[in-house]
Amino acid sequence: MALKAVDLFQAYHDDMLPREGGWIVTSFFDPNSTYSKYEVVAYSGVKGIFLNEEGMTFQSDGNKLFVLVEPPSYPKKQVEPYIRDTKQQIPHRFSELNTYTTKNQIRVLVSKEPVMTYSSFTITTPHGLDFSILFYNLEDVYDTIDDFFQKTFNREGGIPRTDARNASKLVVEGLKKFTIW
């Protein structure tokens, strides 16, 4: 069975990063709540990859999709995501996001359309509970990422399983719009 996913920074150190392309999911968790932010990046045709003070920079075009998970108690629900504090910010207005509200009132917001990054992008070094995972671009990559988000939404976000499944489908629908391939 082929390896489907691995920690991004470990893959770099083990020289296991595919230059032809892959998928990277980076999470950012709020240490005081279940608020979380995810960035999903697909890349292809890498010219170079290097570590710097901020994280890992890919000299490559990429597509990005952003996901927010907001608990019912999140105090800035009405603030447009593009003007929130840096750690909770994504480059979208509410009108540019699909919103799924769970039965326990957690909101999952997902980019309607991917964002194109030209020439390079940086994956920030994870701190605390945050992580970056590389998904290999295999035949079943959408199923693998879907399964990952279902479990993460349920375990880390406190989203009931049925709602986690539905919210994850929104993410995968967005990923299928990527044009990088």
Side-chain angles (χ1 to χ4, degrees):
M1 178 184 219
L3 183 63
K4 294 183 178 195
V6 65
D7 176 86
L8 176 67
F9 288 83
Q10 188 64 47
Y12 176 83
H13 290 293
D14 294 345
D15 198 24
M16 295 173 57
L17 284 175
R19 293 193 174 269
E20 68 277 2
W23 302 78
I24 302 166
V25 176
T26 303
S27 71
F28 304 93
F29 296 108
D30 184 318
N32 301 316
S33 76
T34 56
Y35 185 93
S36 51
K37 176 173 81 170
Y38 301 88
E39 292 179 9
V40 184
V41 181
Y43 69 92
S44 68
V46 175
K47 295 170 189 72
I49 302 171
F50 58 91
L51 292 177
N52 56 39
E53 290 178 12
E54 190 178 336
M56 187 181 305
T57 298
F58 287 72
Q59 293 176 325
S60 170
D61 291 342
N63 281 141
K64 277 189 179 184
L65 190 82
F66 296 89
V67 180
L68 293 178
V69 177
E70 298 177 346
S73 61
Y74 180 60
K76 297 182 181 178
K77 278 184 190 193
Q78 305 311 316
V79 177
E80 290 277 5
Y82 78 97
I83 56 175
R84 292 180 180 177
D85 297 335
T86 304
K87 290 184 178 186
Q88 299 175 342
Q89 186 180 81
I90 61 172
H92 292 302
R93 297 178 178 274
F94 287 122
S95 62
E96 299 168 317
L97 298 165
N98 288 315
T99 303
Y100 182 86
T101 304
T102 68
K103 65 182 174 188
N104 59 354
Q105 300 305 304
I106 295 171
R107 276 197 328 183
V108 179
L109 301 119
V110 180
S111 304
K112 286 182 180 177
E113 298 295 327
V115 174
M116 186 69 185
T117 61
Y118 296 100
S119 72
S120 71
F121 60 89
T122 299
I123 304 296
T124 308
T125 303
H127 298 286
L129 299 173
D130 303 342
F131 56 79
S132 292
I133 297 177
L134 168 69
F135 290 87
Y136 292 99
N137 196 26
L138 303 173
E139 246 179 59
D140 62 347
V141 69
Y142 293 121
D143 294 335
T144 304
I145 293 174
D146 182 29
D147 186 55
F148 165 81
F149 272 105
Q150 284 184 46
K151 289 177 181 172
T152 303
F153 286 163
N154 179 252
R155 294 177 187 160
E156 317 307 333
I159 297 174
R161 286 180 199 233
T162 301
D163 286 323
R165 189 175 315 117
N166 293 335
S168 181
K169 297 291 180 225
L170 268 182
V171 174
V172 173
E173 285 172 20
L175 298 179
K176 289 181 178 179
K177 294 179 181 179
F178 280 19
T179 58
I180 197 71
W181 309 111

